[in-house]
Amino acid sequence: MDDIDLISRFLATHARLLDRRRFELCTGGGSAPVLAALAAYRNAGGGYGSGLEPDLRSASSQPVTALHAFEVFEEIGPDTAPEAALLCDWLGSITLPDGGLPFGLPIADPAGCAPFFVHTDPNASSLHMTSMLAGIAHRVGRHDQAVREHEWLATATGYSLRRIRELDGRWHALEFRFALQFLDAVHEVVPEADGELCRLGGFIPVSGSMAVEGGVENEAMHPLDFTPEPGRPLRRFFPDDLVEAELDRLAAEQHGDGGWDVDWGAFSAASALEWRGWATVRAVRILRANGREPGSARR
């Protein structure tokens, strides 16, 4: 059995349909099946819920679930989907007066939801959430004009730039990651992005890794979490030998059943399995984007 077959069997056995379709897309399938799988999580207002974010089981549309929808809209490129611009409409509808997005909205059905999604202030803007979603929306916008020119994206971009200018080295690893990735995503379209990217890049540890405060033991942001895509401006802050070592590490983390895992704690039995499917698709996409094939660590 070759490694792609092993991964496919793992996903068929353990993963949700969405990640099985994302894997098929990654290995040569079309966009229609993955968009059909994503549609099951979509709510009437244009947002997404119902466990699209594995640690947020609520049926309600939430900002963080937009990340996983945008992942699909990015992966189908150069194809586009009208639902991407409709998601931007929904994000615009929950944007706060200062231009930022809240970390989360009120949750009436919190069963199975991580506490940090339940206990959050819906009236406070989050740089973490806003820069994360604006960054991936800009990546979708590389092939989707409706997203690229959307009013919400312009508003979120302005908010993120204002807040990033205020960053001074005291931040959570996740917020730092998404601020860097936002600057990388807008590098070609925002003149000041390179200067801010260079400034923040100076704070990246020599190891390229940062511990996640409040996470489980050994949870960290690693170089490939910051810069999974080769040839991007952000990659220059990570030496080639460090990236190659991280690719070796990622390949070696594949389990014998063919799948990968995440290094953070899951908040339900369902999310633990769903994260493994998501992590497996992520690993395959990163390895292939960087010229590796899954299973290379065992050959």
Side-chain angles (χ1 to χ4, degrees):
M1 185 188 307
D2 68 28
D3 211 67
I4 294 299
D5 284 341
L6 181 63
I7 294 168
S8 182
R9 290 191 177 203
F10 166 77
L11 293 171
T13 303
H14 300 293
R16 57 188 176 176
L17 180 62
L18 175 64
D19 293 314
R20 291 162 63 185
R21 294 292 184 254
R22 292 177 62 221
F23 178 70
E24 291 168 5
L25 179 67
C26 179
T27 53
S31 60
V34 71
L35 289 172
L38 178 62
Y41 299 90
R42 188 170 182 270
N43 290 323
Y48 292 79
S50 301
L52 181 55
E53 154 66 40
D55 284 325
L56 209 169
R57 313 306 293 181
S58 170
S60 62
S61 296
Q62 294 290 329
V64 70
T65 58
L67 170 67
H68 299 291
F70 277 136
E71 284 174 342
V72 171
F73 298 140
E74 180 181 14
E75 291 165 3
I76 65 170
D79 292 345
T80 62
E83 291 82 4
L86 294 174
L87 176 56
C88 293
D89 290 344
W90 180 78
L91 290 168
S93 75
I94 65 165
T95 293
L96 296 170
D98 64 358
L101 291 167
F103 189 80
L105 300 175
I107 296 175
D109 52 342
C113 296
F116 48 78
F117 289 125
V118 177
H119 305 300
T120 187
D121 184 355
N123 298 308
S125 288
S126 165
L127 175 60
H128 172 155
M129 190 61 61
T130 309
S131 63
M132 177 179 77
L133 294 180
I136 194 169
H138 274 285
R139 298 199 298 272
V140 173
R142 294 174 188 171
H143 65 268
D144 190 327
Q145 182 180 2
V147 172
R148 183 171 63 249
E149 298 178 353
H150 199 280
E151 182 180 3
W152 163 76
L153 185 54
T155 299
T157 298
Y159 169 86
S160 298
L161 289 169
R162 291 193 302 273
R163 287 290 311 281
I164 286 171
R165 294 188 202 107
E166 300 169 358
L167 294 178
D168 60 2
R170 295 187 294 270
W171 44 55
H172 193 277
L174 287 166
E175 181 181 75
F176 184 52
R177 168 193 175 183
F178 292 122
L180 286 170
Q181 290 184 339
F182 164 80
L183 293 170
D184 181 84
V186 303
H187 188 270
E188 290 82 7
V189 296
V190 175
E192 70 178 274
D194 188 67
E196 285 299 313
L197 186 58
C198 289
R199 184 177 71 82
L200 265 61
F203 292 101
I204 297 172
V206 173
S207 67
S209 298
M210 293 179 65
V212 174
E213 182 181 355
V216 300
E217 185 178 3
N218 299 321
E219 182 178 345
M221 292 290 100
H222 297 290
L224 293 173
D225 296 312
F226 288 110
T227 179
E229 185 180 353
R232 295 297 306 166
L234 183 53
R235 180 61 70 88
R236 71 184 188 266
F237 299 102
F238 297 85
D240 291 345
D241 58 347
L242 179 61
V243 171
E244 290 301 312
E246 284 297 304
L247 289 167
D248 290 340
R249 184 179 68 83
L250 179 62
E253 287 178 342
Q254 185 180 17
H255 293 276
D257 61 8
W260 276 259
D261 209 341
V262 296
D263 67 355
W264 57 83
F267 287 85
S268 70
S271 70
L273 277 177
E274 291 177 358
W275 277 128
R276 287 205 68 198
W278 176 89
T280 299
V281 176
R282 170 188 177 273
V284 172
R285 293 188 65 84
I286 290 176
L287 289 169
R288 287 191 154 191
N290 287 274
R292 300 286 192 97
E293 282 298 320
S296 58
R298 300 197 300 276
R299 298 192 180 103

